[in-house]
Amino acid sequence: MFPTKLITTPVIWELGQKFKVITNVRQASVNDEIGLVSLSLDGEREEIKRAVAWLEELGVKVEPVEIQTIEG
Amino acid sequence: MDKPSPYFSNLKCRECGKLYPKEAIHVCDFDFGPLEAAYDYEAIGKVLTRQLIESRAHTMWRYRELLPIDGEPTVGTQVGFTPLVKADRLAKALGVRELYVKNDTVNYPTLSFKDRVVSVALSRARELGFKTVACASTGNLANSVAANAASAGLKSYVLIPADLEQGKVLGSLVYGTNVIGIHGAYDQVNRLCSEIAGKYGWGFVNVNLRPYYAEGSKSMGFEICEQLGWHIPRHTVIPMASGSLLTKIHKAYGEFTKLGLVDAAPFSVYGAQATGCGPIAQAMKRGTDIVKPVPKPETIVKSLAIGTPADGYYAIHAMRDTGGFAEDVTDEEVIEGIKLLAECEGIFAETAGGVTTACTRKLIETGKLPRDESIVICITGHGLKTQEAIVGKCGAPRVIKPSLREFEEQVYNPDAAAATA
């Protein structure tokens, strides 16, 4: 999930440049408030972990596709 | 190994419709859409009649052809068929003509609607050969998995946030489950659960068993229709955490209509949330289907405090398509809701029940719910589970000496009572 301030930043391109991961967008919806992207990341486990940490530092909320595994 | 059910045919992606085998999988390979159980309605239509259903035991399994297992249920065989209470006193208090409470506070065995979903998930888990089941939960789901796994002889693990209240932890520990507290934010716990499910081949009821688990909620909708004399209520108000229950009651009404078990009739579904964590209700009010996550839920209604609701998008469409709406209420209104339901109907609901009752009142007052048509409100868990929420909010007992004079002076004055009679 991208906050508004990142809308003009090419986050996924940068991700592919900075880390040895293969990115593949499977689904996306963007409006003027928020962008939701289902992104598959292929690569070494540690490299993916670093990539996710970088995204989070940037202010992107990252969840596994199995969102909401905690229930009431 | 059970023979494959002739009725439950596949798992199917809710986005692209791609069909999958009936395994422990839950997302589409192509678009990451959620998988859902699909049925052969033509085959079901040939066998499932009102008479057949009525001839069966009073449990949720009387609708077994519409639930995603292959053989007979083996876990939670006593779950469901909770009372649908005609709530005349609450109707009067809210100023409406016809109101019913679907009372899952007395669902067996752990006093919440979660027993419905867990009995399906664990029955299916056994069919798929799982020996260990698990869940990540803040309360009701954990209790239900622990209890139902214990009675089924399955090994279970319950993952909880490390700072969860003792009372809720006890409700799982007593069943001999492995309770694991995890330090860290919810997102990190989520990721860990996915990794465990993938690596150790455990049946996580709300991860890889989710398509089966979620379908259990439909039984609440089926029961409502049957208990109303095979009619769909005109309006149904449903609490929303992930939004799954709302979408499944919507699906249940649709399936009964498709099968001719009820007459086709218009119906509307409404969602209820707490203002301190109401991402679906707020999206609905903004007129969008993009649900903005709530990073830090702040409400006493822990059982609905899901900041990133998995079925939010689908819940919004179900409400929109049926002409329903969503509402949210403050913690103060939640407590008033709990008290109103208890004082009018003798039903002690947990905080989520307070949300549903208070949202119903708000929807009526704002004209979103008409006063002269049938309304069902879904009450999903017992108040004994969240007693801390109302401690000090319901007054205190008056204490007197064991003397009749003191009783008459301080509690009941017969002359004054006669004067006001």
Side-chain angles (χ1 to χ4, degrees), chain B residues 140-346:
Chain B
N140 287 332
L141 179 63
N143 296 169
S144 185
V145 167
N148 284 296
S151 73
L154 289 162
K155 194 168 186 190
S156 68
Y157 285 80
V158 165
L159 280 65
I160 57 167
D163 55 357
L164 199 63
E165 300 94 318
Q166 273 309 304
K168 288 186 182 159
V169 179
L170 195 64
S172 295
L173 279 172
V174 68
Y175 300 109
T177 184
N178 298 286
V179 179
I180 317 296
I182 299 177
H183 292 291
Y186 273 25
D187 290 352
Q188 293 167 319
V189 179
N190 281 342
R191 245 172 270 161
L192 174 66
C193 294
S194 307
E195 285 179 336
I196 295 172
K199 185 161 183 187
Y200 295 104
W202 291 0
F204 253 91
V205 299
N206 48 342
V207 184
N208 51 0
L209 294 172
R210 190 171 179 87
Y212 308 100
Y213 159 93
E215 285 285 286
S217 292
K218 289 192 311 190
S219 62
M220 200 167 183
F222 297 147
E223 289 173 18
I224 290 170
C225 292
E226 184 182 350
Q227 289 168 318
L228 279 176
W230 300 102
H231 290 293
I232 301 174
R234 181 65 188 83
H235 308 278
T236 310
V237 187
I238 303 152
M240 298 188 293
S242 69
S244 171
L245 177 62
L246 184 140
T247 64
K248 293 298 177 179
I249 288 179
H250 176 256
K251 185 178 180 186
Y253 291 170
E255 286 182 335
F256 261 24
T257 308
K258 195 181 302 188
L259 291 166
L261 293 166
V262 294
D263 290 334
F267 66 85
S268 306
V269 289
Y270 301 77
Q273 291 203 299
T275 305
C277 185
I280 310 176
Q282 279 144 29
M284 186 77 191
K285 286 179 175 178
R286 284 201 311 272
T288 169
D289 59 11
I290 294 189
V291 179
K292 264 170 89 173
V294 175
K296 273 197 180 156
E298 277 177 24
T299 170
I300 56 169
V301 191
K302 305 285 180 218
S303 62
L304 302 184
I306 303 291
T308 53
D311 289 306
Y313 171 87
Y314 300 105
I316 287 170
H317 281 267
M319 290 186 278
R320 233 189 241 170
D321 294 348
T322 61
F325 199 65
E327 194 46 272
D328 56 83
V329 286
T330 65
D331 286 355
E332 290 72 37
E333 290 171 308
V334 170
I335 291 164
E336 283 168 26
I338 292 175
K339 287 165 70 175
L340 183 67
L341 182 62
E343 288 170 11
C344 290
E345 299 300 332

Side-chain angles (χ1 to χ4, degrees), chain B residues 2 61 64 69-75 123 127:
Chain B
D2 288 291
W61 293 103
R64 73 185 65 141
I69 59 170
D70 278 327
E72 290 293 310
T74 57
V75 183
S123 287
E127 289 182 344

